[in-house]
Amino acid sequence: MQSDQNNRPDATPSSEGPDVEGIKQARDIAEVPAVELINTVAVHLMSAAAVKTGLADDPEAEALKDLDEARKLITALAGLVTAAAPEVGSTHAAPLRDGLRSLQLAFREESLVPDAPGKGPGEKWTGPVN
C-alpha cells in the first residue's frame, strides 16, 4: 500500500527526502511582516469587491458585476480592517478604511434595493456609511 504522499502527483517521493519547496515556502512566508500580509489580503479583497461591484476598468464590467458576491467580499474586508486596525496602526489602516468606505458607497449606489442604514455590506463592523 502506498502512502498518501506518494499518491499526490506533485509530491516528492519519500525516498528523496522532505519536500524542500514546502520548507522554502514556509521560511519565505515567515519572513514577511504581518502588516504586509494583512495589507496584501486586504488589497486582494478590495480588488475582487471592486470587480464584483461593477467598478472594473473593463468594457465588460457590467457582465462581471455580482452584488451578492460583492457583499460577501466587502463584509470580509470590513471585518479584517476593523480587527487589524489596532495592530497595523493608523498609517496602514487609514487607506484601507478609505478604500472600504468607497466600496461600501459604490455598492449602495449599484444596489437596486437599498439596504437600511447600518445593514449594508460590512456595516456591522464599520457602522452606517453615508
Side-chain angles (χ1 to χ4, degrees), residues 105-130:
L105 291 172
F107 182 94
R108 191 172 288 283
E109 287 179 20
E110 290 294 320
S111 184
L112 297 176
V113 180
D115 292 311
K119 299 296 183 186
E123 291 182 358
K124 172 182 179 180
W125 307 110
T126 64
V129 175
N130 298 325

Side-chain angles (χ1 to χ4, degrees), residues 53-126:
T53 304
L55 303 176
D57 188 21
D58 186 299
E60 297 181 27
E62 191 63 29
L64 301 172
K65 185 164 67 170
D66 183 338
L67 294 181
D68 184 50
E69 290 289 303
R71 179 183 295 277
K72 294 170 188 170
L73 292 163
I74 294 168
T75 299
L77 175 63
L80 174 63
V81 169
T82 302
E87 303 299 327
V88 300
S90 61
T91 303
H92 296 284
L96 296 177
R97 283 189 185 117
D98 291 344
L100 171 59
R101 184 174 187 279
S102 295
L103 284 168
Q104 289 172 310
L105 291 172
F107 182 94
R108 191 172 288 283
E109 287 179 20
E110 290 294 320
S111 184
L112 297 176
V113 180
D115 292 311
K119 299 296 183 186
E123 291 182 358
K124 172 182 179 180
W125 307 110
T126 64

